[in-house]
Amino acid sequence: MALVIAGERSGVGKTTVTLTLLASLRRRDRLVQSFKVGPDYIDPMFHRHVTGRACRNLDPVLTSEAYVQQCFAGHSQLSEYALVEGVMGLFDGISSLVTCTERSRSIGHSSFAKDKGQRTNDKGQITDFASTAHIARLLDLPVVLVIDCSRLSGSVAAIAHGYRSFDPRIKIAGVVLNRVGSDRHLSLLKDSLEPLQLPVLGVMRRQDNITIPDRHLGLVPTAELPELNALIDRLADLGDTCFDWQRLLPLLKSESLSPSASSSLSPSSPVRIAVARDRAFNFYYQDNLDLLQQLGAELVFWSPLEDADIPKDIQGMYFGGGFPEVFAQQLAENSSVRDAVKTAILKGMPTVAECGGLMYLCEQIIDFEGKSWSMAGVLPTSAVMGGRLTLGYRRAVALQDNLLVKANTTVYGHEFHRSHLTLTPTQPLFETSRYDCEENMGCEGWGLPANIHASYVHQHWGESREIPQQFLKECLKVASSGMWI
């Protein structure tokens, strides 16, 4: 047993409710494992800050339905309580033209749409794949529905009834009424809900002193919030009084089992991988880092912002996404690190750079104000910030053998950025299309020099172990050649 926190739409306060629950549980010294539906990086950072445990993403597009089930089972059984934060509205998923046959030819997607009861449109496309409802069905978990009550009273019953009856397979355990204005407002809401006999598991009043700042790609990451601990304390105070814990705790309880035999792969020769992790680069799936370690890698975390040089005795580099544009001046001023990164790559250092990492390898980042800041200069292009948001799942077919995959291999990933490059690569890594239709999104990704993989497409390697294996294989070539940097 565990619990899914879902919203009736985006922006109703799922993350605030989730963090309030987690903060109150941790104050009670409860061991809790959290999960996040979808590809998001930032919400899991907040989960981890509260619980002290890495939050795990549950995304059947980036991995598979089977992996979602395995990931949840493997991690939830090691804690007392388990909580899943949903994505968007409860039934907001994607449609897909991808067939089982197509996915079987791709990396990491051995199954598709095992949930045969999924809703389809008149074209036969799956319409709620990867939604919170889909994950709740896959894991057979009850759902708590968060309703934003700031602009309604009696209509709350129609909303709750609609969500409970829309898909009978979804078990709505109760509701959390968020942004309640007054005692009178609460009375109207409860009176309206009473005929439904649907438990009110929490009531959160409007909170002017609890605000998590955001910017162009969502919430501001935890590393940039010096007052975060005080905020978490306020959430814990709120959680102690606003929830019906007598009803919630049994729902949150996880079946703690003895750890099963490790499924980790046999480590190869030790490989030291420099992983950039600081305020500028912090978008990593914990499962990717775990896989590298299971395969024998030693991860050396370092900061392109603060350190005077890249780590010594390394055989590979990994730059995740993040907000290099926000810290472009500081990155530019650290010229010794920029030069060291460029020198290492030009000497043949295998390097993976995703989104923000790709931007760092460019000649320049041009920020929202039009100011230019020098970057590592490995790629002959500049990253320009703009108002247009590029967002969505991608189906990407490799156009050539590259650092991570062979030509004609299909991988699945996610794009989320407001920058574009001034020049496109002459020999791109991928031809990309939208995941949910045949719309071609063009070619992208840099694979020259041949020891780099720089792409806007974020990948989760959970069911694609061939990718980190290939990366480490190339890193081992560095070791065998005696080239240590």
Side-chain angles (χ1 to χ4, degrees):
M1 183 64 72
L3 199 57
V4 177
I5 303 299
E8 26 102 4
R9 62 184 185 278
S10 294
V12 301
K14 288 189 306 294
T15 299
T16 301
V17 170
T18 299
L19 293 177
T20 303
L21 283 164
L22 293 176
S24 192
L25 284 168
R26 286 300 296 142
R27 175 175 283 181
R28 298 161 185 241
D29 292 325
R30 306 292 191 178
L31 186 63
V32 56
Q33 176 64 55
S34 70
F35 301 85
K36 172 65 182 177
V37 178
D40 183 59
Y41 288 100
I42 299 178
D43 286 354
M45 293 181 197
F46 283 85
H47 290 205
R48 181 172 192 157
H49 186 88
V50 175
T51 67
R53 299 172 65 88
C55 174
R56 305 288 169 163
N57 290 76
L58 303 176
D59 192 318
V61 176
L62 299 184
T63 58
S64 71
E65 292 174 307
Y67 184 84
V68 166
Q69 292 171 323
Q70 293 161 9
C71 178
F72 178 81
H75 292 288
S76 63
Q77 71 181 18
L78 302 178
S79 61
E80 290 180 86
Y81 299 95
L83 186 64
V84 180
E85 180 183 351
V87 62
M88 301 174 64
L90 175 57
F91 297 102
D92 294 330
I94 59 173
S95 61
S96 180
L97 296 171
V98 183
T99 66
C100 294
T101 302
E102 288 171 335
R103 289 176 74 99
S104 68
R105 292 197 298 264
S106 309
I107 279 193
H109 291 85
S110 57
S111 66
F112 181 67
K114 253 189 331 190
D115 187 350
K116 301 301 183 183
Q118 285 176 301
R119 296 179 180 276
T120 60
N121 61 19
D122 57 3
K123 297 179 181 178
Q125 295 170 282
I126 295 169
T127 57
D128 70 349
F129 192 80
S131 67
T132 305
H134 179 197
I135 300 304
R137 292 194 304 263
L138 272 180
L139 304 179
D140 192 25
L141 298 180
V143 171
V144 169
L145 185 68
V146 179
I147 302 177
D148 179 359
C149 301
S150 59
R151 292 177 176 84
L152 57 84
S153 57
S155 298
V156 70
I159 294 171
H161 174 68
Y163 276 82
R164 184 167 66 173
S165 61
F166 184 72
D167 185 345
R169 296 166 300 167
I170 300 299
K171 299 172 289 187
I172 304 292
V175 296
V176 169
L177 306 179
N178 193 24
R179 298 168 186 156
V180 175
S182 65
D183 290 344
R184 174 59 178 161
H185 187 199
L186 178 59
S187 178
L188 292 171
L189 294 168
K190 287 186 171 180
D191 287 347
S192 178
L193 288 167
E194 186 175 2
L196 299 181
Q197 296 184 325
L198 188 62
V200 175
L201 299 176
V203 176
M204 296 182 65
R205 305 291 182 124
R206 294 172 186 165
Q207 303 290 329
D208 296 330
N209 66 333
I210 297 179
T211 302
I212 304 174
D214 59 7
R215 58 172 172 235
H216 55 279
L217 291 181
L219 297 179
V220 174
T222 56
E224 298 180 51
L225 299 175
E227 304 299 322
L228 182 57
N229 286 335
L231 172 64
I232 298 303
D233 284 341
R234 292 198 295 273
L235 289 174
D237 292 340
L238 178 63
D240 289 345
T241 58
C242 74
F243 294 122
D244 185 344
W245 287 104
Q246 189 172 357
R247 283 175 163 168
L248 275 173
L249 282 178
L251 295 172
L252 289 160
K253 188 74 174 176
S254 176
E255 275 195 35
S256 299
L257 304 174
S258 300
S260 57
S262 174
S263 61
S264 61
L265 305 178
S266 299
S268 53
S269 301
V271 177
R272 282 169 57 87
I273 305 295
V275 180
R277 189 163 71 179
D278 56 20
R279 290 170 295 155
F281 305 100
N282 45 42
F283 289 5
Y284 296 97
Y285 293 121
Q286 183 64 41
D287 290 13
N288 287 7
L289 302 178
D290 290 350
L291 273 172
L292 288 171
Q293 292 177 311
Q294 290 171 15
L295 289 163
E298 177 187 351
L299 304 185
V300 183
F301 296 103
W302 71 291
S303 171
L305 283 172
E306 305 289 348
D307 292 341
D309 201 352
I310 62 176
K312 302 299 182 185
D313 299 333
I314 59 170
Q315 300 147 306
M317 294 190 293
Y318 186 6
F319 293 89
F323 290 98
E325 67 275 15
V326 175
F327 302 96
Q329 180 175 353
Q330 189 175 347
L331 289 169
E333 290 172 348
N334 197 350
S335 58
S336 62
V337 162
R338 291 191 289 108
D339 292 343
V341 167
K342 182 175 183 178
T343 298
I345 292 175
L346 294 182
K347 282 186 177 181
M349 179 69 67
T351 301
V352 175
E354 292 182 335
C355 199
L358 175 152
M359 295 166 65
Y360 182 64
L361 297 190
C362 292
E363 292 178 342
Q364 295 176 319
I365 288 178
I366 301 172
D367 65 20
F368 286 108
E369 298 178 353
K371 296 179 181 178
S372 299
W373 306 99
S374 295
M375 293 293 120
V378 176
L379 307 178
T381 186
S382 295
V384 182
M385 302 306 301
R388 179 175 176 270
L389 176 63
T390 301
L391 170 67
Y393 289 110
R394 299 289 181 260
R395 192 162 61 249
V397 180
L399 297 174
Q400 57 184 307
D401 290 352
N402 59 68
L403 178 66
L404 298 185
V405 295
K406 299 294 185 183
N408 299 317
T409 300
T410 300
V411 298
Y412 295 86
H414 189 266
E415 282 193 80
F416 189 37
H417 55 91
R418 289 191 184 273
S419 67
H420 67 274
L421 303 183
T422 54
L423 293 175
T424 55
T426 56
Q427 298 182 41
L429 291 179
F430 296 118
E431 181 176 19
T432 65
S433 60
R434 283 180 50 177
Y435 177 85
D436 55 352
C437 70
E438 299 296 343
E439 180 183 349
N440 189 290
M441 301 299 292
C443 296
E444 77 92 46
W446 294 75
L448 289 176
N451 54 293
I452 66 170
H453 181 104
S455 170
Y456 271 123
V457 178
H458 294 278
Q459 295 180 50
H460 189 298
W461 300 335
E463 270 214 344
S464 309
R465 296 190 174 201
E466 303 93 333
I467 291 177
Q469 283 176 324
Q470 177 62 26
F471 178 40
L472 295 185
K473 179 181 177 182
E474 295 301 315
C475 294
L476 282 171
K477 292 180 181 178
V478 173
S480 62
S481 70
M483 187 188 83
W484 292 74
I485 295 179

